[in-house]
Amino acid sequence: MSDKPSVLFVCVHNAGRSQMAAGWLRHLAGDTVEVRSAGSAPADTVNPAAVEAMREVGIDITDQTPKLLEYATAESSDVIVTMGCADACPVFPGKRYEDWKLEDPAGKGVDAVRPIRDDIRTRVEKLLAELRPSA
């Protein structure tokens, strides 16, 4: 892993969980980690409830758009965190993988998305501590 590790968050639509995780990591890590997110079947837009839940904690993800998971992006990432994309996520030997079991915020209101957002923050903080043990 380089001095600046890259983390790829992957979920099916790249509209909720992976966007919130990427938002948290960008917020908490600054420019010390390259943050990527993608989906196996990306939606047209980021989930409005996810956008609102993140806005409530001072993180703006309105400039993000769902992206298709590309082989090269996954191959060049140091850590791949999957969130329900199952077999659609490519597997590369020697990569660090984590599979986060998280409720899907699709179709839920902001009240239901807040606990998912907070769970993601806890997981991102733990991941960041592991990536930067001396920080």
Side-chain angles (χ1 to χ4, degrees):
M1 200 173 308
S2 68
D3 289 343
K4 185 174 181 173
S6 58
V7 177
L8 171 62
F9 295 104
V10 184
C11 67
V12 176
H13 300 297
N14 190 223
R17 294 167 290 188
S18 57
Q19 291 289 353
M20 288 190 289
W24 275 121
L25 188 55
R26 276 191 294 277
H27 177 75
L28 296 168
D31 65 356
T32 64
V33 176
E34 184 178 352
V35 180
R36 305 165 175 181
S37 71
S40 54
D44 293 329
T45 60
V46 175
N47 180 332
V51 170
E52 175 61 19
M54 294 300 285
R55 187 197 59 74
E56 290 176 353
V57 294
I59 299 172
D60 183 2
I61 60 171
T62 58
D63 63 339
Q64 300 301 306
T65 55
K67 295 173 238 13
L68 180 64
L69 175 61
E70 300 284 344
Y71 183 91
T73 303
E75 184 179 36
S76 64
S77 297
D78 295 311
V79 179
I80 300 173
V81 178
T82 59
M83 305 170 183
C85 67
D87 295 335
C89 297
V91 176
F92 298 95
K95 298 280 179 204
R96 175 178 170 179
Y97 285 89
E98 292 192 17
D99 185 39
W100 293 356
K101 304 288 186 212
L102 295 162
E103 189 175 348
D104 189 348
K108 294 180 173 39
V110 72
D111 289 340
V113 174
R114 286 184 191 113
I116 302 167
R117 172 202 67 201
D118 296 342
D119 185 7
I120 291 170
R121 179 184 182 146
T122 300
R123 293 168 189 252
V124 167
E125 288 172 336
K126 180 179 183 288
L127 175 63
L128 185 56
E130 293 166 358
L131 292 174
R132 300 187 319 191
S134 61

